[in-house]
Amino acid sequence: MLDSASPLARFDDRLSLPLIAAPMFLVSGVDLVVAACRNGVIGAFPTVNCRSPEQLESWLGDIEGQLLRHSEQSGKPSAPICPNLIVHRSNARLQADLAVLLRHRPEIVITSVGSPAGVLAPLHDAGALVFADVASIRHAERAVEAGADGLVLLTAGAGGQTGWLNPFVFVRAVRAFFAGPIVLAGGIGDGHALRAAQALGCDLAYMGTKFIATRESMADPRYKQMLVESSADDILLTTAFTGLQTNMLRPSIAAAGLDPDDLPQRGAIDIGKDIDVGARENRPARWRDIWSAGHATSGVTGVLSVDDLVARTTAEYRATGPQLQP
């Protein structure tokens, strides 16, 4: 499945698909990661989904314990666990979360919102591959210069804080100067899209939106049902909530009392101050009540178990033809 020369080749016999269950804020938790990994999909989660470094320690211990028991019972190794570190200076927990990861020695770590340079050496010393997510060609070049082992390319159509480049252009431009592992993020909703990502030259791809609508995700049931009822036409790209380009569900914005077609620019909305919906404790909060999703929303037709989602994606992937090498 994977190029034998790739640093990812060590995981080849542990993956059922060249796929990562994307790390999603307030969505990816213990149950989702465990279900993905035991199904042969790399299970990723943001460390900031834990309330504290102590809870991160607990989560990792729980995930590792469950996967060890699964492997012992099934006789099959699980896919790698992949924590996601926010390396921006605004993350006051970065060093504490990093210390937890170093104790647990994850095989892969994804860095987001900044250069991976400050965490590369200790993570490499702990045996981890470090993938940096990037949204532009220049950022990809800088991550490679810093020593990142792989790149996650955030392209148009990815949920949450997203990229804006067309995936065909972005992947081919990066492949012109980088021979290491590339992960495509944005618009991967089924096995056909996953195969197309490999044909472009990617080693792996993110699937995020469809994992939101699984029984194991931490998403609110209303969020999951909204994905079922929505399509790509219901995705709005806006800077209003974070100051960065972010793909959000229009129906959730409207439900919060805002007009999706008349939003202020660049993070101007102060949730709980600008929305008058009654008592303060009932006011909507960004990410809790106003939800993100990607263009793959069009492929969400029901709330599935992770087992069923991976089985369907595997069948689609196999139906598209022989395996491709990037």
Side-chain angles (χ1 to χ4, degrees):
M1 183 184 298
L2 297 169
D3 186 339
S4 60
S6 168
L8 295 172
R10 72 186 79 169
F11 309 129
D12 197 32
D13 64 343
R14 298 164 58 187
L15 301 182
S16 61
L17 289 167
L19 189 64
I20 298 174
M24 295 174 286
F25 186 52
L26 300 184
V27 170
S28 307
V30 171
D31 291 346
L32 180 52
V33 171
V34 168
C37 290
R38 62 176 173 75
N39 274 284
V41 171
I42 296 169
F45 72 99
T47 64
V48 293
N49 276 2
C50 303
R51 292 188 299 272
S52 64
E54 291 75 22
Q55 187 178 48
L56 175 59
E57 187 93 50
S58 176
W59 274 31
L60 285 169
D62 191 4
I63 293 168
E64 292 162 355
Q66 289 193 53
L67 292 178
L68 177 59
R69 290 190 293 275
H70 168 74
S71 295
E72 290 173 345
Q73 293 167 3
S74 67
K76 298 178 181 178
S78 299
I81 306 162
C82 181
N84 169 214
L85 273 177
I86 306 301
V87 294
H88 191 267
R89 62 182 177 274
S90 63
N91 180 12
R93 278 177 39 192
L94 174 58
Q95 292 305 316
D97 283 359
L98 175 62
V100 174
L101 297 190
L102 296 178
R103 288 195 290 274
H104 285 264
R105 303 179 69 86
E107 296 170 282
I108 308 176
V109 173
I110 294 168
T111 63
S112 297
V113 201
S115 170
V119 299
L120 277 169
L123 286 171
H124 281 162
D125 287 345
L129 295 174
V130 180
F131 287 17
D133 73 7
V134 294
S136 71
I137 294 169
R138 182 60 189 135
H139 287 155
E141 291 171 339
R142 289 176 177 172
V144 171
E145 291 167 1
D149 301 294
L151 301 173
V152 179
L153 307 188
L154 302 176
T155 70
Q161 291 181 347
T162 185
W164 50 89
L165 290 175
N166 177 289
F168 293 95
V169 173
F170 200 3
V171 173
R172 297 315 303 163
V174 172
R175 264 288 169 246
F177 63 83
F178 182 60
I182 288 178
V183 184
L184 177 61
I188 303 298
D190 58 24
H192 303 278
L194 182 56
R195 181 77 71 175
Q198 283 192 297
L200 269 178
C202 298
D203 301 84
L204 299 165
Y206 265 13
M207 181 180 284
T209 298
K210 292 190 82 169
F211 276 105
I212 300 172
T214 58
R215 295 171 193 156
E216 292 87 350
S217 92
M218 298 192 301
D220 188 302
R222 297 171 299 157
Y223 186 178
K224 299 177 186 183
Q225 187 57 36
M226 188 176 288
L227 287 172
V228 174
E229 296 169 356
S230 299
S231 75
D233 285 346
D234 294 303
I235 303 303
L236 175 68
L237 183 64
T238 177
T239 61
F241 298 98
T242 69
L244 300 175
Q245 296 278 8
T246 308
N247 274 324
M248 309 292 283
L249 277 165
R250 295 174 67 95
S252 72
I253 297 171
L258 292 167
D259 181 355
D261 295 317
D262 187 25
L263 294 173
Q265 294 297 308
R266 307 229 36 110
I269 293 177
D270 181 355
I271 299 296
K273 178 179 179 182
D274 297 337
I275 303 173
D276 184 12
V277 292
R280 184 174 183 84
E281 61 269 19
N282 294 322
R283 289 177 177 173
R286 187 177 71 214
W287 309 121
R288 189 192 70 198
D289 298 301
I290 299 178
W291 300 317
S292 66
H295 292 176
T297 299
S298 280
V300 179
T301 57
V303 178
L304 306 176
S305 67
V306 169
D307 289 2
D308 287 341
L309 175 57
V310 175
R312 287 189 186 187
T313 306
T314 301
E316 294 158 351
Y317 179 78
R318 290 175 177 169
T320 61
Q323 294 177 355
L324 299 172
Q325 299 293 345

